[in-house]
Amino acid sequence: MVQSLVRAMEILEHLRQSDKSCSLAELTRKTGLPSSTVHRILQTFCSTNYVVRDPKTHLYRLGTALIPLGMAATRRLKLRDSALPVLKNLMRMTEEDVFLIIISGYQGIVLEKVEGPNPLKVVERFGGEVDLHCGGIRRSLFAYQPDSFIESYIRHHLPHMAEHPEEKETLLRNLSRIREEGVAVSRGEYIPHAVGIGAPVFDMNDKAIASIGLIAPQSRTPPEQVKRFKELVKQHAEQLSALLGYVRNNRGISEECK
């Protein structure tokens, strides 16, 4: 545990609980921290607008920069709640483990998982951060990010591609193909002997905020099964997008799956 962060969170929590602005003396008393420590923390928060200091009264209150954080947390809860029945239905129709993936920096992390009945499974852990270009589920989310994000990702996260431009071109062609088909498939690239199939999930602002999909052993996914799974994954991603307020546009999003 990082003690300095704990102290900073205590100050934010006291400001949240208070129904009025607080003075430095009040926050020092409530936290039991030295006044100099509280002052340094408040200065840091003020520099990021997480806390605002009234220049006349010298009192502190929570700043507006916290509002987007709260809204993001609320959206994530809504996403998870909305996704769970969709994931369960996809699992019932495929009998495979299905996942909800979101972006964290340049990685995709598992936000939700529903396990299928098959005893032979492919391991994908909650919270595990894996690069966005790896595997079908994450790559389907990566493909729909803004061009500026994709370029930044390649420049900072895959610097070796500067010396191997053919690899960059291959990746960009792959992402373009995903956008054309609306679904991504990987075969043993990220997890050996596994097939990953994913499709993007959009919010009401037409932003790709997540992806859903499945991972299955190659032994259970012959070509005809992959074709069926691709359609099911795409349909369920479209259904979740609709639940989040996404309106059909020129991507040709189909009717919500029944």
Side-chain angles (χ1 to χ4, degrees):
M1 185 179 298
V2 182
Q3 194 62 37
S4 59
L5 288 178
V6 173
R7 292 173 175 174
M9 293 304 104
E10 287 179 1
I11 292 173
L12 286 182
E13 184 61 20
H14 283 300
L15 288 171
R16 184 189 70 82
Q17 293 176 357
S18 178
D19 58 358
K20 59 182 180 62
S21 299
C22 296
S23 67
L24 175 61
E26 287 177 290
L27 292 171
T28 298
R29 185 176 65 255
K30 288 179 178 180
T31 61
L33 298 172
S35 176
S36 58
T37 300
V38 175
H39 186 253
R40 284 197 302 272
I41 292 173
L42 287 170
Q43 282 187 312
T44 301
F45 280 142
C46 286
S47 70
T48 58
N49 207 33
Y50 285 0
V51 172
V52 174
R53 178 178 180 268
D54 189 305
K56 294 182 178 180
T57 64
H58 306 300
L59 298 178
Y60 296 88
R61 59 179 173 81
L62 294 179
T64 55
L66 291 170
I67 295 175
L69 291 179
M71 292 177 63
T74 301
R75 286 196 300 269
R76 187 164 293 186
L77 287 173
K78 180 182 177 182
L79 170 63
R80 193 170 189 170
D81 290 343
S82 299
L84 193 54
V86 176
L87 294 175
K88 287 181 177 178
N89 192 57
L90 179 58
M91 181 277 292
R92 284 192 292 267
M93 298 185 74
T94 62
E95 297 190 332
E96 300 293 351
D97 293 355
V98 299
F99 303 86
L100 173 69
I101 301 291
I102 60 172
I103 288 180
S104 175
Y106 286 148
Q107 280 77 41
I109 64 173
V110 178
L111 184 62
E112 189 59 83
K113 173 183 179 181
V114 177
E115 293 193 3
N118 287 296
L120 179 59
K121 297 182 179 297
V122 176
V123 177
E124 172 73 275
R125 296 181 177 85
F126 278 107
E129 296 190 347
V130 177
D131 290 348
L132 279 169
H133 71 288
C134 297
I137 307 178
R138 288 174 174 83
R139 196 152 60 228
S140 68
L141 177 55
F142 182 40
Y144 285 88
Q145 298 309 301
D147 290 343
S148 57
F149 178 91
I150 293 174
E151 283 296 328
S152 176
Y153 181 98
I154 293 173
R155 185 168 61 253
H156 296 108
H157 205 59
L158 303 174
H160 67 278
M161 287 190 176
E163 299 178 4
H164 302 279
E166 69 282 358
E167 293 185 18
K168 177 180 177 180
E169 289 303 314
T170 297
L171 176 59
L172 292 177
R173 282 196 302 270
N174 196 338
L175 298 180
S176 177
R177 189 181 312 114
I178 292 169
R179 290 191 291 270
E180 290 175 4
E181 298 183 4
V183 64
V185 179
S186 61
R187 295 177 176 84
E189 304 160 16
Y190 156 46
I191 300 176
H193 313 297
V195 173
I197 302 173
V201 173
F202 300 94
D203 66 7
M204 64 186 299
N205 298 313
D206 195 25
K207 180 180 179 182
I209 60 169
S211 59
I212 65 172
L214 60 85
I215 302 176
Q218 288 180 332
S219 59
R220 287 204 300 265
T221 47
E224 62 274 15
Q225 188 72 301
V226 170
K227 182 178 180 180
R228 173 175 173 266
F229 283 173
K230 284 172 64 177
E231 188 59 31
L232 286 171
V233 167
K234 187 176 178 180
Q235 288 175 352
H236 283 76
E238 291 172 354
Q239 180 186 19
L240 179 53
S241 296
L243 291 173
L244 297 174
Y246 176 75
V247 178
R248 179 175 178 169
N249 64 5
N250 59 10
R251 285 199 183 96
I253 205 162
S254 65
E255 284 186 37
E256 168 178 327
C257 65
K258 309 299 182 186

